[in-house]
Amino acid sequence: MSLLSIIKSKSLTTTKLHLQNAISLNLKRQFATKDNSKMFCYQCEQTQDGTGCNGLKGVCGKTSFVASLQDLLLNVTKKISTFTSMSRQLGTKNPEVDRFVLESLFSTVTNVNFDEVRFKEYLQKAESQLEKAEKDYREVCQSKGIQPKMPTFAKSFWKANPDLGSLIEEGKKFSILKRNRSKDLTGIEEMILYGIKGGAAYLEHAKVLGIEDEEAYSFMHDCLKKLTEELSLDELLKLAMDTGKWNFKVMELLDKANTQGYGDPVPTKVSISPVAGKCIVVSGHDLYDLELVLKQTENKNINVYTHGEMLPAHGYPKLKKYKHLVGNYGGAWQNQKKEFSAFPGSILMTTNCIVPPSDAYRHRVFTRSVVGFPGVQHILSDDLSPLINSALLNKGFLKDSPRKEILVGFGHKTVLGIADLIIDAVKSGAIKHFFLIGGCDGYELDRNYFTDFAKRVPKDCVILTLACGKYRFNKLDFGTIKHKGVEIPRLLDIGQCNDSYSAIKIAVALAEAFKTDVNGLPLSLILSWFEQKAVAVLLTLLSLGVKNIRIGPRLPAFLTPPVVKVLVDNFGIKPISSSPKKDLKELLKK
């Protein structure tokens, strides 16, 4: 078997993993001494010095090689979408191209794929997809007797199947720092791209569950095409708002996919205490992969735990029916190294949020879908035997821990089911204010702000939360508000970041009941952000006219001061301060 055929093999062999490590190591030796091997990336919140990662490795652990390959893949993806957008306007669609663009975008989201070899495979596919997209466009023009309007961008160059080193060098041409645009315009272009990448992640989750939408695909391609053009500031700001509206539609599709597939979430007590037995922990966001694990481990004496953003899965009726879904393990994504080192079983990473694994547990990690890391086993098919066999070989938990529980399952259907009670509680003064405290978690100590803020919220106020930022406070006892004999929990866990649609739907429904808009409600939004899905959600909120959002722990590096001023002037966006007490006092005046 040749070296290339081994690399392309879909088998989960040790040989493949060793070869990937060897290739990666060789690349490091080849390029690490070159000054021009440095990266530039500011797509997530934890950028170096708050301005952008510009060394041989980003704060997330992404190497400059992977950053370069991602820049190249995004460049080719925009070209594919340019042809696809023009073809769609003439009535031609290609589902294969649609799905490839979706997966390519998702693969470049923070903490998804760190594997140089996998990105080479994406780029090889991208070249063929670009040819396919161009061919589709030429053929539909010919069929309609139209002269093709060919884009001016240069074609890709790697038809001779170049090595990874050549692709990395090519990718450097498309670094953010190589743009000819101003920093202000480049920052807005990147904000739009990040919104599209975040929405693509949501759309991919829905697609896996059988829900796709032609309008959603059309806007995705149209938007990427526009990002190849030199739009003005006003045109870019409009495109950003349109991206937010698109993402709201995408989140609605995902909500439909999740609830059709697994039922509407219901309030559910979830154990956060390990029990004795062999075990698998599932992290990420993908409910489909969790269901596969549950089905294939049934009657095998293996306990299944959720981790991170998978916590809300316990509220879905068709998932909670599995008795061996025994609880939630650990906290948010950034604690993986400590938590997974201590976990005595196997680990499945289903979507974004993987952290570079340590040697203590690397051999027990398996990835799915777009997730990748050098030296980690990737499962391509729905047969999860490698994961299950690994779990059976590990010792598992040796004894039960004292049982502790948290409450999840407050999707929009559950909350709006008691809307009359909530509205009456507000009118009577039993509930004075709502605080949506949610979003991404991260490493910085100043994220303790969100814990401190939640603790200070008065007892006559309700906290809504979603995404992994809730791990800062979701194990605290906030008690209930009693009204008309019903005890309303003061902390309502709406779900994943993917479930932001539920939060928006709840807010809009309450606004209609009070004959006002969302801004007129006794509601304050305090959001923590980290990666591109959070950018997509922020654009959605802005596109719906939601104002006075507090965001932290710091504003995005890709937004320059003039652009921030536009957002402040138009939407009242404000960074959180260093004092939760001060911010809370100001917000309660509303």
Side-chain angles (χ1 to χ4, degrees), residues 138-155:
R138 289 184 181 277
E139 287 180 350
V140 71
C141 285
Q142 184 177 15
S143 70
K144 294 182 178 294
I146 299 172
Q147 182 67 29
K149 297 179 180 179
M150 299 304 292
T152 57
F153 53 68
K155 290 293 184 65

Side-chain angles (χ1 to χ4, degrees), residues 37-152:
S37 65
K38 292 182 179 181
M39 65 190 289
F40 182 80
C41 179
Y42 58 8
Q43 71 174 3
C44 83
E45 183 269 337
Q46 293 183 163
T47 53
Q48 184 179 341
D49 300 323
T51 57
C53 294
N54 58 2
L56 297 176
K57 184 179 286 189
V59 172
C60 68
K62 176 172 67 175
T63 66
S64 60
F65 315 131
V66 168
S68 183
L69 293 170
Q70 289 182 353
D71 287 342
L72 182 56
L73 180 60
L74 287 168
N75 177 265
V76 182
T77 300
K78 290 175 185 176
K79 295 175 181 178
I80 293 170
S81 284
T82 296
F83 282 116
T84 304
S85 173
M86 294 188 295
S87 294
R88 278 179 162 268
Q89 290 171 12
L90 296 174
T92 293
K93 302 169 186 175
N94 190 323
E96 183 183 347
V97 172
D98 296 338
R99 292 165 185 168
F100 175 78
V101 170
L102 206 61
E103 189 172 331
S104 293
L105 291 169
F106 195 1
S107 72
T108 66
V109 169
T110 303
N111 286 5
V112 172
N113 196 335
F114 295 80
D115 194 334
E116 296 101 335
V117 175
R118 290 273 300 282
F119 276 108
K120 179 181 180 182
E121 293 170 355
Y122 274 123
L123 285 163
Q124 288 171 323
K125 291 178 185 177
E127 182 70 4
S128 64
Q129 294 294 332
L130 179 56
E131 291 177 352
K132 199 170 295 181
E134 180 179 347
K135 181 182 177 185
D136 288 343
Y137 176 61
R138 289 184 181 277
E139 287 180 350
V140 71
C141 285
Q142 184 177 15
S143 70
K144 294 182 178 294
I146 299 172
Q147 182 67 29
K149 297 179 180 179
M150 299 304 292
T152 57

Side-chain angles (χ1 to χ4, degrees), residues 106 110-114 118 205 280-290 292-293 305-310 329 331-337 339-341 343 345-358 361-373 376-381 384 387 533:
F106 195 1
T110 303
N111 286 5
V112 172
N113 196 335
F114 295 80
R118 290 273 300 282
H205 294 317
I280 291 172
V281 66
V282 182
S283 191
H285 302 75
D286 203 305
L287 300 182
Y288 175 78
D289 280 345
L290 175 61
L292 284 181
V293 173
Y305 298 83
T306 58
H307 176 268
E309 285 274 58
M310 292 302 299
Y329 175 82
W333 64 272
Q334 75 274 7
N335 299 317
Q336 282 175 40
K337 288 191 177 181
E339 293 171 354
F340 289 173
S341 293
F343 186 76
S346 297
I347 302 146
L348 182 65
M349 299 301 304
T350 66
T351 53
N352 59 312
C353 293
I354 188 172
V355 168
S358 68
Y361 65 91
R362 186 193 308 265
H363 59 291
R364 295 185 281 115
V365 179
F366 297 80
T367 58
R368 285 277 287 163
S369 180
V370 294
V371 190
F373 196 88
V376 168
Q377 298 184 63
H378 185 69
I379 303 178
L380 286 163
S381 74
L384 303 182
L387 172 76
K533 287 196 272 189

Side-chain angles (χ1 to χ4, degrees), residues 446-447 584:
D446 52 4
R447 286 179 180 268
L584 182 61

Side-chain angles (χ1 to χ4, degrees), residues 519-557:
N519 298 311
L521 288 173
L523 168 68
S524 299
L525 281 71
I526 302 91
L527 305 181
S528 55
W529 82 282
F530 174 70
E531 41 90 342
Q532 294 80 75
K533 287 196 272 189
V535 175
V537 173
L538 178 61
L539 290 179
T540 295
L541 292 170
L542 298 183
S543 73
L544 293 171
V546 178
K547 296 184 178 182
N548 302 316
I549 299 169
R550 302 287 177 116
I551 186 170
R554 57 188 173 189
L555 293 176

Side-chain angles (χ1 to χ4, degrees), residues 73 77 110 141 147 171 195 230 307 315 328 365 389 434 444 457 460 534 538 579 585:
L73 180 60
T77 300
T110 303
C141 285
Q147 182 67 29
E230 294 194 352
H307 176 268
N328 178 253
V365 179
N389 292 337
F434 296 90
E444 302 100 330
V457 169
D460 56 3
L538 178 61
S579 172
K585 185 178 180 180

Side-chain angles (χ1 to χ4, degrees), residues 89-319:
Q89 290 171 12
L90 296 174
T92 293
K93 302 169 186 175
N94 190 323
E96 183 183 347
V97 172
D98 296 338
R99 292 165 185 168
F100 175 78
V101 170
L102 206 61
E103 189 172 331
S104 293
L105 291 169
F106 195 1
S107 72
T108 66
V109 169
T110 303
N111 286 5
V112 172
N113 196 335
F114 295 80
D115 194 334
E116 296 101 335
V117 175
R118 290 273 300 282
F119 276 108
K120 179 181 180 182
E121 293 170 355
Y122 274 123
L123 285 163
Q124 288 171 323
K125 291 178 185 177
E127 182 70 4
S128 64
Q129 294 294 332
L130 179 56
E131 291 177 352
K132 199 170 295 181
E134 180 179 347
K135 181 182 177 185
D136 288 343
Y137 176 61
R138 289 184 181 277
E139 287 180 350
V140 71
C141 285
Q142 184 177 15
S143 70
K144 294 182 178 294
I146 299 172
Q147 182 67 29
K149 297 179 180 179
M150 299 304 292
T152 57
F153 53 68
K155 290 293 184 65
S156 306
F157 80 102
W158 57 82
K159 294 194 184 281
N161 190 28
D163 57 36
L164 268 170
S166 299
L167 290 173
I168 289 168
E169 288 299 310
E170 179 69 7
K172 292 173 187 175
K173 298 176 183 177
F174 304 105
S175 165
I176 292 170
L177 299 180
K178 297 292 178 69
R179 306 265 178 90
N180 293 322
R181 306 274 271 164
S182 71
K183 289 183 179 180
D184 298 336
L185 296 179
T186 296
I188 301 176
E189 288 171 345
E190 287 299 293
M191 177 176 66
I192 294 167
L193 176 62
Y194 303 155
I196 289 291
K197 287 166 68 168
Y202 295 139
L203 204 52
E204 173 69 17
H205 294 317
K207 186 205 76 178
V208 168
L209 294 175
I211 300 292
E212 296 183 82
D213 184 84
E214 290 300 330
E215 288 184 7
Y217 282 135
S218 287
F219 180 85
M220 175 182 71
H221 293 303
D222 292 346
C223 186
L224 291 174
K225 175 180 179 291
K226 288 178 181 178
L227 290 177
T228 67
E229 304 164 2
E230 294 194 352
L231 301 183
S232 67
L233 174 60
D234 288 341
E235 289 171 328
L236 285 171
L237 290 172
K238 181 182 182 306
L239 185 57
M241 293 302 100
D242 289 343
T243 301
K245 293 174 184 175
W246 168 78
N247 185 61
F248 184 63
K249 170 68 174 177
V250 168
M251 289 192 296
E252 183 180 19
L253 291 171
L254 179 55
D255 180 77
K256 178 181 178 182
N258 286 339
T259 55
Q260 282 187 357
Y262 303 108
D264 288 293
V266 295
T268 303
K269 290 182 177 180
V270 181
S271 170
I272 55 173
S273 307
V275 295
K278 304 286 187 179
C279 49
I280 291 172
V281 66
V282 182
S283 191
H285 302 75
D286 203 305
L287 300 182
Y288 175 78
D289 280 345
L290 175 61
E291 183 184 31
L292 284 181
V293 173
L294 292 169
K295 284 181 176 179
Q296 294 179 36
T297 53
E298 207 165 14
N299 302 316
K300 291 186 184 293
N301 294 318
I302 296 176
N303 294 321
V304 178
Y305 298 83
T306 58
H307 176 268
E309 285 274 58
M310 292 302 299
L311 169 62
H314 293 270
Y316 287 93
K318 290 185 180 179
L319 295 175

